[in-house]
Amino acid sequence: MISIDDLHRALGSFRPVLDAQQRSAVDAAPTTALFIVAGPGTGKTASLTLRILKLVLVDGMAPRGILATTFTKKAAEELRSRVLGWGFRIIDALKADPAISQSQKSFIETIDINQVRTGTIDALCEQLLREFRNPGTQSPVLVDEFVSKTLMLREGLFGSRRDQDPSLDSFLLDLHSESAKPYNYHVGTKAKLVKEIWERRFQDQVVWSQFPTGSAPARQLVSDAHQSYETALRLAGLVDFSLLENEVLLRLRAGQLKDFTEELKVVLVDEYQDTNLMQEQIYFQLAAACSGSLAVVGDDDQSLYRFRGATVDLFRDFPLRYRNQFGRSPSTVFLTNNYRSSQRIVSFVNAYASLDLTYQAVRVASKPALIHGPSATAGLPVVGMFRNTVKELAEDLALLVHAAFRGLGYSIPGGRIQANATGGDVGDCALLCSSPAEFSASGKPRLPLLLRQELASLTPAIQVFNPRGEDTSTVDVVERLGGLLLECLDPNNSLSTQTSGVSQEAQTVFANWRQKAIDFASSASAPPGLVAYAQGWANRDSGRVGYEWPRITTAIELVYGLVHYLPELHNDPEGQVYLEVFMRQLSACQQLGKFEGRIIADPANTGLSEASIKELVRDFLAPIAEGVVDVNEEMMETFPRDRLSILSIHQSKGLEFPLTIVDVGSDFKDLRAPAFKRMPTAGSASHRMEDLLRQHSPLGVPARTQTDRAFDDLFRQFFVAFSRPQDVLLLVGVTPTQPGGRVPNVATGWDRNGVCRWANNLPFVMI
DNA sequence: GAACAGATGGTTTTT
DNA sequence: CCATCTGTTC
């Protein structure tokens, strides 16, 4: 083992050493419980990483006794690569350090940093059930979101035609919208709501027997729907996220994961502000196995996942809750030195956090403000760009980005926005929005689309990177592959139009796909052999005398057969992402259907043959056409350097960009714009859901009103957005929603009492 | 400037 | 379904 000073010296060999606050988190004794409240840019991951390495190198803890979890896959990857990256560099530095003795060096030689367990809590639970399963049992398969949604619809709602029950209908409608407005309320919405109640049952650890069903027929139906859904999952050997975590919690409580817990020495949890009660209980169980060695890191101001059951109170009240469980208090460490942003941005962010008086009550008690780092520059002023229409906004924004990254810079009062001469590119710029979707629900173009078009029209053109916002179904390769699949499976277009449960929207997309595929196959650049291959499939004709077309083939064979003619699907990184969309949905279809992705060609039983095709149309292709299947971001390379990234504020959590553009209101041209996104008049579905279920949970009824919680959530969202930039923060929107404008908006300085605090005291310069 | 008719736009985030 | 906006008419 080495000394703590050796460790910090080794870190100093390749990056700045940690500050005093960070060191107090890192250096604490291994069994100390820690409550680390870390504002944005304060080196949260750095401290966590070095603490892990300290436990291994200084305290001699076995790497596999260390468990570090985070909330998102992205953060988990980030933590893992940091632990490995720093670990190897520190080990190298120590080996080269003459002050380290030979016996210490041979100790270091034995360390395998790779054995530290890192990952999301769901990944950990899945791993635990697989690695430590009871002899003779199968570990359950975690279902994909689409599969669980479809099962809730089919088993939960269509089963016993619960979807048609008027009492269930009105019960769910009350949850769906504030004054029971039926807008956008259909059977899919009902399934979603019933599933949300199901998830909250576990997340909030609801005592279901206390949920009053007897006198309330609608509640009984919800309960029945859950039962049918659960049965369907169990029969197929599947679990969803809630069942998975719950199963692990039950096994921990029953002492059935001893093989794992006996090895466990310390638990570290990142993003703890997004934890729910079930997860807290898992962590407490794990910590109990290692004498309470639990360190949690988070920031109450950055809790964004209430809709997924996150309860920020668990973080805020952690010292108390830990004490009640373990009989001692954790040490609280505040990380307040921001190493990300310029001085002006840090003061803007501080001012924003304290803008609304009522918000202060939900923050961690006596939380200090952020302090800019010792080498932070004053920086450029925060900038606001507001235009009369979204179109004008997109034009001017495109010109700004173009001037900053492809021209001579863009002048603003008090400075100039100019790409960093040493390797800056458009990838240093991101547009953060509440949603990156290119079209509104009613099909109107939104800022992400208009900006993409404006940037493309400039010279040289600038591309955007918006994998979540673009419509998957209109991507060239998706159209070709989708169309070819349809033409091969159902050449006469007779089955796909008759398949029940396929929306009109999907039918339109199908027609378009087919046309694109035909055009492609008949074009001069069509790959040789494609037409013959497709016709062989269409006619179910092997093309060889004496060889019959097999009675059973699989959709996978067909997809791979076609991919051969569309090489971009496996050669090109972006193509691979779209091929994965098809493969993932095909596997969902296999889990859901009777035919499990098989294609029957039986002349004696055309009914069966047709049914096998219809299943593929409904569960494999229609969801892709409807845009229900999202691309998998894990497959994406990191943000391309030469494109402007467009992402949701949620996705931006934990990231930083030299130039950050925050869309504070490109959708809000008048008072009809949705209030829940700018100035809530009531709670939304997740707040109503909390009130419905938490009264039967150990959490109890939330202390604040639904409307207050809706405001709190919005302030947190913009707090996250405003704290992403390193050098320049640019707020954009349409004129009516600028500070003091006609459309009130918490992102432009209104507090929840309807007073715009920025109206006469603009904290940014207008351009 | 009031009164009326017709148009408009409407839940986001994800393991 | 319904609140709000826009345009027209007096």
Side-chain angles (χ1 to χ4, degrees):
Chain A
M1 287 181 278
I2 61 160
S3 78
I4 190 80
D5 290 335
D6 294 336
L7 176 73
H8 287 288
R9 198 172 57 248
L11 178 72
S13 72
F14 61 92
R15 57 149 279 152
V17 292
L18 299 188
D19 66 31
Q21 295 174 334
Q22 294 169 328
R23 275 197 67 153
S24 67
V26 169
D27 296 359
T31 51
T32 308
L34 287 167
F35 175 49
I36 303 168
V37 183
T42 56
K44 190 164 53 117
T45 312
S47 306
L48 207 56
T49 302
L50 201 65
R51 176 153 182 85
I52 291 170
L53 297 172
K54 180 255 181 190
L55 292 168
V56 173
L57 292 161
V58 178
D59 300 315
M61 199 175 269
R64 53 184 303 129
I66 299 174
L67 172 67
T69 67
T70 65
F71 184 70
T72 63
K73 293 182 182 177
K74 202 182 252 164
E77 271 165 46
E78 170 72 21
L79 181 64
R80 176 137 207 104
S81 77
R82 193 82 75 90
V83 168
L84 296 178
W86 283 20
F88 294 139
R89 294 179 84 165
I90 285 177
I91 285 173
D92 285 347
L94 290 169
K95 283 189 197 159
D97 189 339
I100 304 293
S101 74
Q102 209 45 56
S103 70
Q104 285 174 316
K105 285 179 183 164
S106 39
F107 158 72
I108 294 168
E109 288 288 351
T110 64
I111 291 170
D112 183 6
I113 297 288
N114 259 303
Q115 294 194 347
V116 173
R117 282 183 190 264
T118 60
T120 64
I121 177 143
D122 301 288
L124 170 78
C125 290
E126 209 185 344
Q127 211 182 335
L128 289 183
L129 293 190
R130 202 174 40 237
E131 275 180 41
F132 302 97
R133 66 167 181 268
N134 296 331
T137 59
Q138 285 280 315
S139 50
V141 174
L142 181 62
V143 286
D144 150 292
E145 177 68 25
F146 179 83
V147 174
S148 67
K149 211 173 76 190
T150 307
L151 282 177
M152 187 57 89
L153 189 66
R154 277 189 204 164
E155 306 294 327
L157 283 172
F158 293 154
S160 312
R161 298 311 325 226
R162 283 181 277 262
D163 62 312
Q164 291 176 347
D165 185 281
S167 69
L168 180 65
D169 212 32
S170 73
F171 176 78
L172 294 176
L173 186 56
D174 281 340
L175 281 172
H176 172 66
S177 86
E178 182 211 345
S179 44
K181 282 179 216 144
Y183 181 75
N184 207 13
Y185 181 70
H186 44 75
V187 67
T189 318
K190 295 185 204 176
K192 201 175 128 233
L193 291 164
V194 176
K195 186 158 171 282
E196 253 176 82
I197 301 177
W198 163 259
E199 280 159 358
R200 284 212 94 95
R201 270 175 71 168
F202 297 97
Q203 290 163 349
D204 293 349
Q205 296 282 287
V206 171
V207 182
W208 195 242
S209 57
Q210 285 178 17
F211 188 73
T213 49
S215 55
R219 289 166 184 239
Q220 186 58 53
L221 288 168
V222 170
S223 206
D224 295 347
H226 288 174
Q227 191 99 60
S228 309
Y229 167 75
E230 188 179 358
T231 307
L233 282 178
R234 297 229 185 257
L235 284 176
L238 304 171
V239 287
D240 63 8
F241 288 112
S242 314
L243 283 170
L244 173 72
E245 291 181 14
N246 193 57
E247 179 70 24
V248 168
L249 177 57
L250 294 178
R251 289 203 193 173
L252 284 169
R253 283 188 178 146
Q256 288 173 357
L257 289 168
K258 282 265 188 295
D259 288 342
F260 171 69
T261 53
E262 273 166 8
E263 266 184 0
L264 196 62
K265 292 285 174 293
V266 62
V267 180
L268 305 109
V269 187
D270 197 3
E271 308 275 13
Y272 197 79
Q273 76 280 355
D274 285 315
T275 292
N276 60 47
L277 183 62
M278 169 166 57
Q279 292 166 345
E280 181 204 61
Q281 294 302 307
I282 293 176
Y283 291 131
F284 279 6
Q285 285 293 325
L286 293 172
C290 50
S291 45
S293 299
L294 175 61
V296 305
V297 189
D299 183 7
D300 46 309
D301 288 321
Q302 298 185 68
S303 173
L304 295 185
Y305 290 95
R306 188 195 296 274
F307 66 93
R308 257 183 54 187
T311 309
V312 68
D313 317 18
L314 300 178
F315 177 73
R316 198 198 49 205
D317 303 335
F318 178 77
L320 182 68
R321 300 181 67 87
Y322 182 89
R323 193 187 169 81
N324 289 340
Q325 186 83 20
F326 296 97
R328 62 186 166 109
S329 293
S331 342
T332 299
V333 178
F334 288 109
L335 302 187
T336 55
N337 297 322
N338 175 295
Y339 296 98
R340 173 181 297 153
S341 314
S342 71
Q343 297 181 15
R344 275 168 148 152
I345 290 164
V346 169
S347 32
F348 182 85
V349 169
N350 276 330
Y352 190 71
S354 49
L355 181 137
D356 182 272
L357 209 60
T358 315
Y359 177 59
Q360 305 313 308
V362 283
R363 305 179 71 200
V364 166
S366 64
K367 185 181 181 183
L370 284 176
I371 300 164
H372 65 76
S375 54
T377 58
L380 291 174
V382 175
V383 191
M385 178 187 272
F386 292 85
R387 297 294 183 267
N388 286 323
T389 63
V390 204
K391 182 93 173 73
E392 279 173 62
L393 179 62
E395 286 167 11
D396 288 356
L397 194 51
L399 291 176
L400 182 149
V401 170
H402 197 264
F405 292 96
R406 294 286 182 266
L408 299 171
Y410 189 99
S411 281
I412 57 164
R416 177 180 274 277
I417 303 174
Q418 171 83 70
N420 175 352
T422 54
D425 203 344
V426 196
D428 287 338
C429 175
L431 172 68
L432 313 187
C433 337
S434 62
S435 158
E438 292 197 333
F439 294 94
S440 75
S442 49
K444 301 261 173 198
R446 297 185 65 245
L447 181 62
L449 176 71
L450 297 173
L451 183 61
R452 171 157 73 106
Q453 291 170 342
E454 290 300 330
L455 286 169
S457 73
L458 298 173
T459 324
I462 295 175
Q463 284 190 291
V464 304
F465 180 67
N466 184 11
R468 290 241 153 185
E470 285 167 42
D471 192 352
T472 313
S473 69
T474 59
V475 171
D476 277 350
V477 287
V478 172
E479 289 180 328
R480 280 178 197 169
L481 180 58
L484 288 167
L485 283 164
L486 282 167
E487 288 293 312
C488 290
L489 291 168
D490 176 30
N492 307 320
N493 195 8
S494 55
L495 301 173
S496 57
T497 47
Q498 292 166 18
T499 307
S500 64
V502 176
S503 66
Q504 196 50 55
E505 187 198 349
Q507 297 289 2
T508 314
V509 174
F510 282 169
N512 190 30
W513 281 2
R514 283 179 190 269
Q515 193 53 52
K516 289 278 164 71
I518 292 166
D519 292 349
F520 172 67
S522 51
S523 71
S525 58
L530 173 62
V531 174
Y533 177 81
Q535 273 171 356
W537 262 90
N539 303 329
R540 307 290 191 265
D541 176 359
S542 75
R544 285 189 291 167
V545 182
Y547 286 90
E548 296 253 314
W549 185 264
R551 184 174 172 275
I552 297 177
T553 48
T554 62
I556 293 207
E557 293 171 50
L558 174 57
V559 173
Y560 280 125
L562 289 171
V563 167
H564 174 75
Y565 299 99
L566 300 168
E568 64 267 42
L569 285 167
H570 55 84
N571 293 341
D572 170 55
E574 226 167 302
Q576 290 166 6
V577 170
Y578 293 114
L579 179 58
E580 195 269 347
V581 166
F582 279 89
M583 298 315 290
R584 179 154 36 96
Q585 194 54 30
L586 184 53
S587 96
C589 173
Q590 288 167 355
Q591 285 183 356
L592 282 169
K594 289 196 276 288
F595 294 95
E596 298 175 329
R598 285 189 288 262
I599 300 164
I600 314 288
D602 189 345
N605 191 345
T606 49
L608 196 69
S609 310
E610 289 179 0
S612 72
I613 302 298
K614 285 183 178 176
E615 186 170 290
L616 286 168
V617 169
R618 189 187 58 224
D619 292 340
F620 171 36
L621 295 173
I624 299 174
E626 284 162 3
V628 184
V629 194
D630 266 325
V631 294
N632 179 358
E633 265 146 310
E634 280 173 280
M635 292 200 51
M636 307 260 178
E637 312 205 9
T638 40
F639 301 105
R641 290 293 299 147
D642 57 344
R643 298 212 231 162
L644 183 142
S645 294
I646 301 181
L647 56 165
S648 72
I649 294 173
H650 286 74
Q651 288 171 278
S652 77
K653 209 167 88 163
L655 304 176
E656 58 187 16
F657 300 93
L659 167 56
T660 304
I661 305 167
V662 180
D663 178 359
V664 291
S666 67
D667 293 323
F668 308 150
K669 71 177 154 82
D670 58 43
L671 290 168
R672 282 174 297 183
F676 79 99
K677 275 185 166 182
R678 51 177 184 87
M679 203 67 189
T681 52
S684 60
S686 22
H687 306 105
R688 285 185 284 273
M689 204 71 80
E690 282 180 332
D691 281 3
L692 176 74
L693 294 164
R694 276 181 52 176
Q695 51 183 318
H696 310 299
S697 133
L699 288 166
V701 185
R704 290 162 84 81
T705 65
Q706 293 186 5
T707 314
D708 274 336
R709 281 175 276 155
F711 271 106
D712 298 342
D713 290 350
L714 272 185
F715 279 111
R716 293 190 182 109
Q717 196 176 342
F718 287 101
F719 180 86
V720 169
F722 294 158
S723 56
R724 297 309 99 196
Q726 295 170 310
D727 305 318
V728 183
L729 170 59
L730 169 60
L731 278 53
V732 302
V734 290
T735 316
T737 201
Q738 71 189 20
R742 225 155 44 88
V743 182
N745 180 356
V746 298
T748 48
W750 266 261
D751 65 18
R752 72 189 68 197
N753 301 319
V755 179
C756 184
R757 308 277 299 275
W758 291 355
N760 303 309
N761 185 17
L762 205 62
F764 52 80
V765 299
M766 282 286 196
I767 55 168

